[in-house]
Amino acid sequence: MSEQPEAPEVVSFSRLLDRAMRILTQRDHGREELKRKLQQSAQRAAWMKQKKPEIITDEQMEKVLNWCQENGWLNDDRFTERFIQSRSRKGYGPQRIRMELTQKGIGREEIDLALEAAEIDWAACAAALAERKFGLPLPTEWKEKAKVQRYLQAKGFLMEDIQSVFRNFND
């Protein structure tokens, strides 16, 4: 008798919901990010047990995501707001934050609204970051100014905010 390979099983609602709860207790997630993580967790679990990954049907995934949303565990707006606050405190500018949120599956319009609602003074954030990294007084030589500008651009600040750092510094 030849052994037939073990067929993958369809994951149950309660098991998938348990995984979602464990992920959401760590921090807020966007809907698309949670979906991706749930799929990855099934693959990771299968790899650890050296089995075929459980099948997560689209219907089952939507059912779990909708349950999480209806019960307040999953909220894209709350996630976006907290993400913007967190990343801005860590010294990242609006362009970098926008890119990261897009990668996490948040829509362009939602990002724009959330960035507007955040009421963050990006020029002040850029100035504080430049001061923290390069000290005061900020460089006045072109070569050193360019170094500060490149650093702030890499952190995701807009050129108008970067230029305001030097305008305000010269005053």
Side-chain angles (χ1 to χ4, degrees), residues 120-147:
I120 296 171
D121 184 355
W122 296 109
C125 289
L129 186 62
E131 182 182 327
R132 209 168 43 230
K133 175 76 174 174
F134 298 97
L136 285 178
L138 287 175
T140 55
E141 296 294 317
W142 182 85
K143 190 175 181 179
E144 293 300 312
K145 272 177 131 176
K147 187 176 182 180

Side-chain angles (χ1 to χ4, degrees), residues 10-160:
V10 176
V11 68
S12 69
F13 173 78
S14 61
R15 190 167 180 169
L16 192 59
L17 183 61
D18 180 56
R19 285 183 188 159
M21 291 293 103
R22 276 190 274 127
I23 292 169
L24 289 171
T25 56
Q26 301 297 312
R27 68 169 174 82
D28 278 329
H29 289 71
R31 186 178 180 94
E32 291 301 314
E33 183 184 24
L34 179 61
K35 185 176 184 177
R36 184 179 42 80
K37 281 192 171 187
L38 286 171
Q39 290 166 338
Q40 286 176 343
S41 82
Q43 292 170 345
R44 195 175 313 116
W47 181 80
M48 296 290 283
K49 295 177 185 175
Q50 296 188 353
K51 290 183 172 181
K52 287 191 176 188
E54 296 173 319
I55 297 172
I56 301 174
T57 64
D58 290 340
E59 179 185 310
Q60 200 75 314
M61 180 67 78
E62 286 302 310
K63 192 175 172 184
V64 167
L65 293 174
N66 289 339
W67 187 93
C68 291
Q69 212 162 2
E70 289 165 6
N71 290 284
W73 285 88
L74 184 63
N75 184 324
D76 278 354
D77 294 336
R78 181 180 63 215
F79 165 71
T80 304
E81 178 186 323
R82 288 182 180 176
F83 188 86
I84 290 170
Q85 293 299 325
S86 169
R87 299 305 275 171
S88 68
R89 279 193 304 272
K90 290 182 180 179
Y92 292 101
Q95 291 301 93
R96 170 80 178 259
I97 294 170
R98 177 178 275 115
M99 178 197 67
E100 290 177 358
L101 283 168
T102 302
Q103 290 173 346
K104 292 182 180 296
I106 304 298
R108 175 183 223 119
E109 293 167 6
E110 293 169 312
I111 296 170
D112 290 341
L113 290 172
L115 282 169
E116 205 173 291
E119 296 181 2
I120 296 171
D121 184 355
W122 296 109
C125 289
L129 186 62
E131 182 182 327
R132 209 168 43 230
K133 175 76 174 174
F134 298 97
L136 285 178
L138 287 175
T140 55
E141 296 294 317
W142 182 85
K143 190 175 181 179
E144 293 300 312
K145 272 177 131 176
K147 187 176 182 180
V148 174
Q149 287 179 337
R150 282 192 307 273
Y151 176 75
L152 293 173
Q153 277 184 315
K155 287 291 197 168
F157 288 96
L158 300 169
M159 197 49 140
E160 63 190 46

Side-chain angles (χ1 to χ4, degrees), residues 1-14:
M1 285 212 259
S2 64
E3 287 185 31
Q4 292 182 350
E6 199 173 301
E9 61 186 69
V10 176
V11 68
S12 69
F13 173 78
S14 61

